[in-house]
């Protein structure tokens, strides 16, 4: 399933696989001025190709190697001859995608291998984007920043103001640093792959980091009293949801709790 929405000159492409006619998990790609930012999951590749043709897409940039952001690359390359652009850290993963967990195959599908081109900036007819490394969610994660407009296309950097789950392979300290780095740019608008368009991103990032600091303080206090970390996590974030069971713990509240209490003091 693919739905189109609009924000000024930006077209939002909301994509998801459907099972028994129900959406599984949405992800956003964005396009403007002939540029497509991320290509969504494999399951929506044909719908994406049709939209890209209609919208006049002439180049594609991928924020990071996760399969819900590069799964349409193969269809775009075969159908339009578009070689994905990405950071030098992401390119090897697009050329030879790594093996992924079973739950990710079900939700997003495997990303096909494609040629890819390393870039440090992306230029369109009317806009000029800086590629900014923002590791944490993945080591290769980047955002696109258009300084004249104050736009940040943020991939999976932000996700949710009160995020309670992280993957077991995320680096929370690096992620926090990356969020602060983007906030320091004082962007006017942030285009998130899951939260959508955020028009006061500095405030939203501050609230997100403030929420994590609250959770961290509560968790550290309970852990200091000798509470097991599993019980600490349930006390501060609530019980685990279906995604934790489905992913066999790869995505969980416990991952976030463990990472928060492990942060060095002063972070």
């Amino acid at each position: 399933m693919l739905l189109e929405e609009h924000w000024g000159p930006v077209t939002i492409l909301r994509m998801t696989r459907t099972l028994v006619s129900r959406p599984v998990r949405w992800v956003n790609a964005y396009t403007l001025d002939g540029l497509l930012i991320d290509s969504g999951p494999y399951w929506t590749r044909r719908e994406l190709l049709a939209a890209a043709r209609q919208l006049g897409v002439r180049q594609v940039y991928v924020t990071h190697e996760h399969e819900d952001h590069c799964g349409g690359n193969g269809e775009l390359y075969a159908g339009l001859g578009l070689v994905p652009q990405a950071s030098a850290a992401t390119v090897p993963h697009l050329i030879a995608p790594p093996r992924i967990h079973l739950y990710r195959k079900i939700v997003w599908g495997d990303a096909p291998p494609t040629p890819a081109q390393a870039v440090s900036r992306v230029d369109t007819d009317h806009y000029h984007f800086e590629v900014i490394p923002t590791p944490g969610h993945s080591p290769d994660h980047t955002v696109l920043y258009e300084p004249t407009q104050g736009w940040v296309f943020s991939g999976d950097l932000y996700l949710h103001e009160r995020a309670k789950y992280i993957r077991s392979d995320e680096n929370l300290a690096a992620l926090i640093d990356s969020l602060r780095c983007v906030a320091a740019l004082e962007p006017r608008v942030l285009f998130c792959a899951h939260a959508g368009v955020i028009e006061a991103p500095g405030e939203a990032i501050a609230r997100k980091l403030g929420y994590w600091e609250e959770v961290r303080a509560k968790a550290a206090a309970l852990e200091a009293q000798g509470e097991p970390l599993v019980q600490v996590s349930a006390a501060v974030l609530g019980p685990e949801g279906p995604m934790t069971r489905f992913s066999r713990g790869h995505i969980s509240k416990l991952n976030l709790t463990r990472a928060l209490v492990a942060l060095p003091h002063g972070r």
Side-chain angles (χ1 to χ4, degrees):
M1 179 186 295
L2 185 150
L3 302 176
E4 286 189 26
E5 299 177 359
H6 300 275
W7 184 94
V10 179
T11 299
I12 306 160
L13 303 177
R14 301 187 64 230
M15 292 172 279
T16 182
R17 184 184 191 184
T18 56
L19 293 173
V20 293
S21 300
R22 294 185 178 182
V24 178
R25 181 159 169 78
W26 293 96
V27 62
N28 297 336
Y30 296 93
T31 181
L32 74 164
D33 206 23
L35 170 66
L36 175 67
I37 301 163
D38 287 334
S39 67
Y42 177 78
W43 300 120
T44 55
R45 65 197 183 281
R46 294 190 180 96
E47 294 162 284
L48 177 68
L49 176 60
R53 283 190 170 126
Q54 180 185 4
L55 294 165
V57 170
R58 300 185 299 278
Q59 56 181 328
V60 56
Y61 181 84
V62 176
T63 58
H64 63 297
E65 55 96 0
H66 290 161
E67 64 281 356
D68 54 329
H69 295 260
C70 62
N73 285 359
E75 202 78 5
L76 295 170
Y77 180 66
L80 294 174
L82 298 180
V83 175
Q85 300 174 350
S87 72
T90 299
V91 162
H93 301 288
L94 303 183
I95 295 172
R99 295 182 63 183
I100 61 174
H101 303 79
L102 177 60
Y103 84 91
R104 295 165 62 184
K105 292 176 183 281
I106 294 170
V107 175
W108 305 118
D110 278 301
T114 61
Q117 177 186 3
V119 297
S120 58
R121 62 179 289 129
V122 178
D123 295 313
T124 69
D125 290 343
H126 300 98
Y127 304 109
H128 306 282
F129 297 90
E130 300 174 11
V131 174
I132 298 178
T134 49
H137 176 72
S138 65
D140 67 311
H141 196 284
T142 57
V143 303
L144 286 187
Y145 173 52
E146 214 297 342
T148 302
Q149 302 297 325
W151 295 338
V152 171
F153 290 85
S154 63
D156 280 349
L157 174 68
Y158 177 76
L159 295 183
H160 195 281
E161 185 176 307
R162 296 176 70 85
K164 296 183 178 182
Y165 295 84
I166 63 170
R167 296 159 51 118
S168 60
D169 54 0
E170 291 189 60
N171 182 328
L172 189 65
L175 177 56
I176 289 172
D177 286 344
S178 293
L179 285 162
R180 289 173 174 161
C181 171
V182 167
L185 299 173
E186 298 184 352
R188 299 185 189 98
V189 185
L190 185 145
F191 299 88
C192 176
H194 295 280
V197 180
I198 298 168
E199 297 191 2
E203 296 172 14
I205 290 172
R207 289 193 298 268
K208 179 185 180 82
L209 295 178
Y211 171 68
W212 276 352
E213 185 54 41
E214 283 180 31
V215 173
R216 177 189 182 187
K218 292 176 183 177
L222 290 172
E223 189 184 42
Q225 296 171 16
E227 292 284 344
L229 198 58
V230 172
Q231 294 180 18
V232 170
S233 182
V236 297
L237 294 175
E240 299 284 357
M243 180 54 77
T244 300
R245 295 187 292 274
F246 185 44
S247 70
R248 295 190 175 184
H250 186 238
I251 297 175
S252 75
K253 295 177 180 179
L254 179 60
N255 292 337
L256 177 59
T257 305
R258 182 183 291 116
L260 283 171
V261 298
L263 286 174
H265 290 291
R267 290 304 296 259

